Amino acid sequence: MEPQQEHEGKPELSSSSISSHPQPSLEPGVDTKSTMIPSTSWFTPKRLLAIFCVINMLNYLDRGAIASNGVNGSRGTCEGGTCKSGTGIQGDFKLSNFEDGVLSSAFMVGLLVASPIFASLAKSVNPFRLIGVGLSVWTLATLCCGFSFNFWSIAVCRMLVGVGEASFISLAAPFIDDNAPASQKTVWLGTFYMCIPAGYAVGYVYGGLVGGHLGWRYAFWVEAILMFPFAILGFVMKPLQLKGFAPTDSKKELTLETAVSEAQDVNASNGKDETLSLKAEFRDKHSHEPSRSKYATTVLGQFSRFLQDFKELLVDKIFVVNVLGYIAYNFVIGAYSYWGPKAGYSIYNMANADMMFGGVTVVCGILGSLGGGFLLDYMNSTISNAFKLLSLSTLVGGACCFGAFLFRSEYGFLALFAIGELLVFATQAPVNYVCLHCVKPSLRPLSMALSTVAIHIFGDVPSSPLVGVVQDKIKNWRTTALILTTIFFPAAAIWFIGIFLHSVDRYNEDSEQEVSSVERTTTAPLLEENTAKTSISGQSQEC
C-alpha cells in the first residue's frame, strides 16, 4: 500500500468531485485507499480465491470431460466381418482422429479471439462484471453442447465455450495477485493454477462416470448447472477494482478531476487558481462534440491504446522468453491431457485409463502446483528465481516422463510418470508470476490474455490434431508419446535463457508513475480494504 504521506499536501478537489469520489483522510495511520470497495463483511480475499478456484476447476473439468473415454468415446470398428458400434461423441458423429482432435481444440478459437478483447475492455468496463458476462456465455454454450446434433454444431458450441472462458482467464489472476499477501503471492497463484490439472483429472473421472451411466450429453448439462450460480454472482455482487485501473463507474468525472489535479499542481507554485476556468473549458469543449464523434474517438482511442500496449509487451524480452517457453511446454501438456487416456489404454491395456490418468494427474497436479508456489516464495519471489525453477523442473520432469514411456511395465510407467508430472506442474505458479510481474499493473490483463492466446494458438491448439495425424501415420502410441515428450527439453532451454536477462519487478510502477492521486485513493484490492477497516477500527477503539 502507498505510504500515507503521498496523499498529504495535495490540493483539495472541487465539490463536484467530493460527491462522486470519497476524499482521502489526512489523519495519520488511516488508509482510505479502499473507499471504492464494497463493505461486504463475508467477502474476504480468501473467499475470493476460493470462488475463483472453483470456477477454474469447472473450466478445466469441462476440458477433461470431453477428453475422457466416457464422453469422447471411440469410433466403430469392423474386424473379420464383425462390426462394433462406436461410443460417445466420436462414435455418434463418426469422427476421424483428426476431427476428434479439432473438436478438442475448437473452444480455443473463441478463447483466442475474445481474450484480448476482454483485456482491452477492462479499461472501460469493470473487470468483475466482465467475468460475469463471460461465465454467462460459458454456461449457455456448455448447455448447448449437450443438444448438438453433428460435428459442426458441437464445434460451434465449443468455440462459444472459449469466448465465455476468455474473460475469466485474463482477469482472475490479476485479481488474485492484488489480494494475496505479499509473502504468499506465488502460493496463492499456485493454489489457483493447481485447479488446471485437478480439473482435468476430475473431468476424466467425471466424464467416465456420467458418460458411461447417463450418456455424454448429460455431462455437459450438469456442468452448465454447476456454473450457473457463479455466473449470477458476477452480476449481483458489488464489483471490485484492479490495481492500475481507474473506477469505471465514474470515468468521465475522474478524467476531469485528474486534469484539474494536474493543473493545480502546476499552478500552485505560481500562486494561480485556474481550476474553475479549466473545468468550464473542459466541459464546454466536450458538451459540444457530436455523440457519434465521441464514440468514434473513444473506439479509435481504445484501439490505439491497445496497439501501444501490445507493442510494449512484444518488445519486453522477459515477457517474450517466458511465453516462448510456455508455448513449448503447453504443446506437450495439451496433447497429454487429450490423448493421455487413449495412449495409456493402447500401450498398457489400461481398462480404466480415465481413472488411472485422472488419479495420477490430480495428485501430482495439486502437489506440484502448490509445491512450485511454496518453493518460489521460499527462494524469494523474483523473476530470475522463477526462471531457475522453470528451467530445472521442466528439464528433470521431462526426462522422467520420457523414461516412463520406455517402461514395459504399467506400474513402472505410472511411478516414473507421476514423478515427471509432479515436476512439470511445479511450473504453473512461477510462469504466471513472471507474466504478472514483468509488466506494469495496467498491462497485467493484456499480458495474461496474450500469454493465453500464444500458448494456445501455438501450443495445445495444434498439438492435439498434429498428434492425431502422427498417430494415424505411425500407428504406435508409444513412439508418438516419446516424440511428443521431447518437446519439454526446448521449453527448459528457453526458460534457462531467462535467468540471464535483466529483470525488474514492475508491480508498483503504475501507482508511482502513471496513476493519478485520485485513482490511487479509489482503486484498492480487497486485501487493502480489510487492512483499512482494521486500522480504522483500531483507531476508533483507542479513542
Side-chain angles (χ1 to χ4, degrees):
M1 297 195 297
E2 309 292 336
Q4 182 63 30
Q5 57 265 27
E6 287 189 15
H7 305 303
E8 297 179 358
K10 290 288 183 182
E12 293 185 358
L13 299 177
S14 64
S15 59
S16 62
S17 172
I18 294 175
S19 64
S20 58
H21 298 289
Q23 190 79 347
S25 171
L26 299 181
E27 297 179 18
V30 179
D31 188 351
T32 57
K33 289 176 63 178
S34 58
T35 51
M36 291 296 290
I37 303 297
S39 299
T40 51
S41 59
W42 69 273
F43 195 47
T44 64
K46 289 184 178 179
R47 289 194 175 111
L48 176 69
L49 175 64
I51 290 171
F52 281 169
C53 283
V54 174
I55 295 171
N56 207 27
M57 178 80 75
L58 290 175
N59 278 327
Y60 284 90
L61 179 144
D62 172 70
R63 300 191 194 182
I66 198 173
S68 69
N69 288 333
V71 173
N72 180 263
S74 58
R75 291 183 296 177
T77 58
C78 291
E79 294 181 1
T82 302
C83 293
K84 183 180 178 181
S85 61
T87 61
I89 297 173
Q90 191 175 22
D92 284 0
F93 298 153
K94 297 179 174 59
L95 306 180
S96 67
N97 282 339
F98 177 75
E99 289 174 325
D100 200 18
V102 169
L103 186 61
S104 73
S105 303
F107 80 99
M108 299 292 186
V109 176
L111 183 68
L112 304 181
V113 172
S115 290
I117 296 175
F118 277 114
S120 298
L121 286 175
K123 293 190 175 184
S124 57
V125 180
N126 187 276
F128 208 75
R129 289 290 183 255
L130 290 176
I131 291 177
V133 172
L135 296 183
S136 299
V137 174
W138 191 97
T139 302
L140 181 61
T142 306
L143 185 69
C144 291
C145 284
F147 291 104
S148 58
F149 51 87
N150 60 17
F151 169 74
W152 287 109
S153 63
I154 194 170
V156 171
C157 291
R158 297 304 297 171
M159 292 178 192
L160 292 176
V161 168
V163 172
E165 188 178 331
S167 65
F168 182 75
I169 293 297
S170 302
L171 301 170
F175 272 119
I176 292 172
D177 195 49
D178 277 350
N179 292 286
S183 61
Q184 300 176 9
K185 285 185 178 294
T186 321
V187 172
W188 278 45
L189 287 174
T191 303
F192 176 70
Y193 284 103
M194 79 176 184
C195 296
I196 294 178
Y200 262 123
V202 174
Y204 288 151
V205 178
Y206 163 81
L209 292 176
V210 176
H213 291 83
L214 300 176
W216 62 268
R217 297 181 187 275
Y218 282 88
F220 294 116
W221 293 335
V222 173
E223 289 171 14
I225 294 172
L226 293 175
M227 184 65 82
F228 182 71
F230 297 101
I232 298 300
L233 194 66
F235 293 103
V236 299
M237 285 185 54
K238 293 184 179 180
L240 301 180
Q241 297 290 345
L242 277 177
K243 179 181 175 68
F245 290 85
T248 54
D249 58 351
S250 55
K251 188 172 181 181
K252 291 182 179 179
E253 185 68 25
L254 181 59
T255 303
L256 170 59
E257 297 303 335
T258 302
V260 172
S261 177
E262 291 174 353
Q264 288 175 327
D265 290 339
V266 173
N267 294 328
S269 60
N270 298 329
K272 299 178 181 179
D273 187 2
E274 300 178 2
T275 298
L276 296 178
S277 62
L278 176 61
K279 294 176 79 170
E281 179 182 352
F282 185 94
R283 285 173 177 152
D284 182 68
K285 175 182 176 182
H286 286 269
S287 63
H288 289 83
E289 292 180 1
S291 58
R292 181 176 298 180
S293 176
K294 287 183 181 180
Y295 290 131
T297 302
T298 301
V299 172
L300 289 176
Q302 289 183 342
F303 184 70
S304 175
R305 180 61 179 172
F306 169 78
L307 292 179
Q308 181 182 344
D309 293 344
F310 183 75
K311 180 180 178 181
E312 185 173 344
L313 289 176
L314 289 184
V315 298
D316 189 324
K317 293 180 181 178
I318 298 294
F319 176 79
V320 171
V321 168
N322 188 55
V323 171
L324 286 177
Y326 205 5
I327 288 171
Y329 166 91
N330 214 53
F331 188 95
V332 184
I333 294 297
Y336 272 180
S337 65
Y338 191 74
W339 294 114
K342 285 191 176 183
Y345 179 80
S346 175
I347 299 172
Y348 299 103
N349 295 318
M350 294 182 185
N352 54 348
D354 285 348
M355 302 293 183
M356 297 297 290
F357 268 82
V360 171
T361 303
V362 71
V363 173
C364 296
I366 291 174
L367 295 179
S369 298
L370 288 175
F374 275 111
L375 186 57
L376 184 56
D377 281 336
Y378 178 80
M379 294 169 62
N380 187 13
S381 299
T382 65
I383 294 175
S384 178
N385 283 343
F387 277 124
K388 292 175 184 176
L389 184 57
L390 288 170
S391 59
L392 182 61
S393 62
T394 304
L395 176 64
V396 179
C400 290
C401 289
F402 187 89
F405 283 107
L406 294 176
F407 269 90
R408 300 293 175 180
S409 165
E410 175 183 338
Y411 298 106
F413 161 77
L414 289 174
L416 196 56
F417 189 72
I419 297 173
E421 281 206 319
L422 187 70
L423 291 168
V424 297
F425 280 123
T427 62
Q428 290 298 311
V431 72
N432 287 285
Y433 176 88
V434 175
C435 273
L436 289 169
H437 286 257
C438 73
V439 300
K440 57 191 179 183
S442 63
L443 285 181
R444 290 181 303 167
L446 186 59
S447 172
M448 297 303 298
L450 292 184
S451 172
T452 301
V453 167
I455 65 174
H456 290 317
I457 199 170
F458 299 113
D460 52 8
V461 165
S463 69
S464 293
L466 287 176
V467 169
V469 170
V470 171
Q471 174 59 23
D472 286 340
K473 296 292 183 182
I474 297 177
K475 300 187 184 304
N476 186 317
W477 274 112
R478 188 187 302 274
T479 303
T480 301
L482 289 171
I483 293 172
L484 173 66
T485 304
T486 58
I487 301 176
F488 273 135
F489 304 127
I494 294 170
W495 278 329
F496 183 73
I497 295 172
I499 299 173
F500 304 99
L501 297 177
H502 176 67
S503 58
V504 177
D505 191 323
R506 304 177 65 186
Y507 178 74
N508 291 312
E509 185 168 317
D510 267 338
S511 58
E512 295 175 358
Q513 297 178 11
E514 297 186 2
V515 182
S516 70
S517 60
V518 178
E519 292 175 6
R520 284 202 301 266
T521 60
T522 57
T523 56
L526 189 59
L527 182 63
E528 294 183 356
E529 176 202 12
N530 293 337
T531 304
K533 285 182 180 179
T534 303
S535 177
I536 294 172
S537 174
Q539 189 181 54
S540 63
Q541 289 176 1
E542 290 176 3
C543 296

